[in-house]
């Protein structure tokens, strides 16, 4: 009964927190929309980021107050709120967004997530994300581009235009390389050879690097795990059952391995895919070590001997 009572309380608090903060950001967005002055718009973006910081802080207070969590955080030293970062992470649960924003809120600029174009029209959420300068993307499928070749390159142009506003304000751009949350069903279907991860997709991160790679100071590679709550971490968190959260950070340089013409240079494209595959192999090994050190955790999938083949992007 206590767990279900905590679930009701936590859901109510998170919803209220999100609704109030979204409303404040939406009010800021109205001023940003009607006053076309660059300096004023930058101030609105800064203010919206502070509201997002407050949202993350309150979520962290709720999490800590209702869960007896052991935090295992490594590698966040040396980060700066005055730098530009590209962050990518494995994607286990909706809990990931709450954890990432809370853990990094005082170390780096507030994260910006690439969002689907359709979310722009969702009441409150769309306007709030627009006020926060989160990029809205319209990705075209391979089939669509074959039927409409004149659209080729439009999505990259849109990405560059969306990221142009980050040139003057330190920013963290977040990319979930797997493209979706991990589930047992998706893991079985993926057949990528990873024990605890889905197949990484190189196209999304390549678009981000092509759009603003010269602006990034470093890449933040985050490995997230909930070793004692592997089945339903978000529900467990809301019910006060979250036991341990692991956040391991590896800083990667912006060098020749991630600097090139992914879309026209086939040799570089293959090199980039091999680089990302190597990063994902290391991440999978980290997760295996984390889960093995937690006797109460359950393995996420069966280890296979399949070769790792990155999914090709259009």
């Amino acid at each position: 009964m206590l767990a279900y009572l905590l679930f009701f309380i936590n859901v109510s608090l998170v919803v209220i927190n999100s609704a109030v903060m979204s409303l404040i950001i939406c009010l800021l967005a109205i001023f940003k929309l009607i006053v076309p002055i660059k300096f004023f718009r930058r101030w609105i973006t800064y203010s919206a980021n502070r509201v997002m910081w407050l949202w993350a802080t309150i979520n962290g207070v709720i999490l800590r107050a209702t869960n007896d969590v052991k935090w295992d955080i490594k590698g966040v030293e040396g980060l700066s709120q005055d730098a530009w970062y590209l962050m990518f992470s494995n994607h286990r649960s909706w809990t990931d967004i709450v954890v990432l924003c809370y853990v990094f809120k005082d170390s780096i600029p507030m994260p910006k997530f690439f969002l689907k174009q359709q979310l722009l029209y969702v009441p409150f959420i769309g306007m709030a994300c627009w006020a926060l300068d989160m990029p809205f993307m319209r990705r075209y499928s391979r089939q669509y581009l074959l039927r409409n070749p004149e659209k080729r390159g439009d999505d990259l142009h849109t990405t560059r235009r969306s990221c142009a506003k980050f040139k003057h304000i330190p920013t963290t751009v977040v990319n979930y390389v797997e493209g979706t949350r991990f589930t047992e069903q998706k893991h079985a279907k993926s057949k990528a050879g990873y024990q605890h991860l889905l197949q990484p997709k190189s196209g999304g991160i390549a678009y981000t690097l092509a759009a603003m790679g010269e602006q990034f100071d470093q890449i933040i590679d985050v490995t997230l795990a909930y070793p004692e709550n592997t089945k339903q971490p978000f529900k467990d968190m809301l019910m006060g059952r979250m036991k341990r959260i692991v956040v391991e950070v590896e800083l990667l340089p912006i060098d020749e391995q991630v600097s090139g013409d992914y879309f026209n240079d086939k040799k570089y494209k293959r090199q980039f895919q091999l680089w990302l595959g190597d990063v994902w192999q290391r991440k999978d090994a980290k997760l295996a070590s984390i889960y093995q050190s937690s006797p109460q955790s359950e393995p996420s999938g069966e280890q296979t001997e399949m070769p790792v083949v990155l999914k090709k992007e259009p």
Side-chain angles (χ1 to χ4, degrees):
M1 288 297 295
L2 178 60
Y4 284 101
L5 177 61
L6 283 175
F7 180 86
F8 174 77
I9 293 173
N10 282 334
V11 168
S12 299
L13 291 175
V14 170
V15 169
I16 292 171
N17 180 35
S18 300
V20 171
M21 298 306 159
S22 295
L23 180 59
I24 295 173
I25 294 175
C26 285
L27 293 175
L28 291 171
I30 293 174
F31 288 104
K32 184 176 181 179
L33 188 63
I34 62 179
V35 182
I37 302 174
K38 288 185 178 180
F39 174 81
F40 182 77
R41 286 191 166 192
R42 289 176 191 170
W43 180 83
I44 290 292
T45 298
Y46 172 82
S47 301
N49 284 334
R50 296 307 297 171
V51 176
M52 186 178 177
W53 177 90
L54 182 59
W55 171 82
T57 301
I58 293 174
N59 282 337
V61 170
I62 295 170
L63 191 158
R64 285 181 176 273
T66 58
N67 292 265
D68 185 17
V69 179
K70 177 184 177 183
W71 291 85
D72 188 351
I73 302 173
K74 299 177 182 177
V76 297
E77 303 82 8
L79 297 173
S80 171
Q81 289 187 320
D82 297 319
W84 281 257
Y85 297 106
L86 170 62
M87 176 188 288
F88 55 71
S89 168
N90 59 306
H91 195 11
R92 184 78 200 192
S93 162
W94 290 338
T95 314
D96 300 348
I97 295 176
V98 175
V99 169
L100 284 178
C101 290
Y102 179 66
V103 169
F104 292 97
K105 66 183 178 68
D106 295 316
S107 302
I108 61 176
M110 290 305 296
K112 308 293 184 183
F113 298 88
F114 276 85
L115 305 172
K116 294 181 180 179
Q117 184 74 22
Q118 295 86 335
L119 289 176
L120 179 60
Y121 307 104
V122 176
F124 295 105
I125 294 177
M127 183 173 286
C129 292
W130 177 80
L132 287 162
D133 281 340
M134 293 195 185
F136 289 90
M137 302 299 302
R138 179 178 291 168
R139 295 292 303 277
Y140 298 115
S141 67
R142 183 191 299 270
Q143 293 75 17
Y144 180 86
L145 290 175
L146 288 174
R147 295 194 303 269
N148 303 273
E150 72 280 1
K151 294 292 186 180
R152 190 176 300 275
D154 281 7
D155 41 7
L156 178 57
H157 176 71
T158 301
T159 304
R160 284 179 171 152
R161 189 173 59 215
S162 299
C163 293
K165 61 191 71 174
F166 299 149
K167 289 184 178 180
H168 306 288
I169 300 176
T171 304
T172 303
V173 178
V174 181
N175 189 293
Y176 285 115
V177 183
E178 295 162 299
T180 184
R181 287 179 293 114
F182 181 101
T183 66
E184 295 289 351
Q185 293 76 16
K186 293 173 185 176
H187 178 262
K189 187 178 180 180
S190 174
K191 298 180 180 179
Y194 299 106
Q195 188 177 2
H196 302 285
L197 296 168
L198 300 178
Q199 178 70 58
K201 299 178 182 180
S202 56
I205 188 174
Y207 267 87
T208 308
L209 286 166
M212 55 180 300
E214 71 282 355
Q215 291 179 237
F216 292 125
D217 294 293
Q218 286 178 303
I219 296 173
I220 303 177
D221 174 18
V222 180
T223 301
L224 280 175
Y226 314 98
E228 297 180 27
N229 303 86
T230 58
K231 293 297 183 182
Q232 296 179 308
F234 190 61
K235 182 179 179 181
D236 286 348
M237 182 186 72
L238 292 174
M239 298 183 77
R241 294 173 174 171
M242 182 64 69
K243 299 299 182 184
R244 182 180 172 216
I245 297 176
V246 179
V247 182
E248 292 195 6
V249 174
E250 181 178 357
L251 297 180
L252 305 177
I254 303 292
D255 56 18
E256 65 277 0
Q257 294 187 89
V258 296
S259 302
D261 189 349
Y262 180 90
F263 304 98
N264 298 301
D265 186 341
K266 291 184 178 180
K267 182 178 179 181
Y268 169 73
K269 181 176 182 177
R270 181 56 182 165
Q271 171 189 309
F272 183 84
Q273 291 174 337
L274 290 173
W275 171 83
L276 183 58
D278 183 60
V279 170
W280 232 239
Q281 289 279 24
R282 296 200 307 271
K283 186 182 297 293
D284 199 43
K286 288 180 185 178
L287 288 169
S289 176
I290 291 168
Y291 290 127
Q292 287 172 4
S293 67
S294 299
Q296 297 183 47
S297 68
E298 300 179 22
S300 302
E302 296 296 324
Q303 190 166 10
T304 69
E305 298 298 328
M306 293 182 182
V308 175
V309 180
L310 281 172
K311 181 176 179 180
K312 293 184 178 180
E313 299 287 338

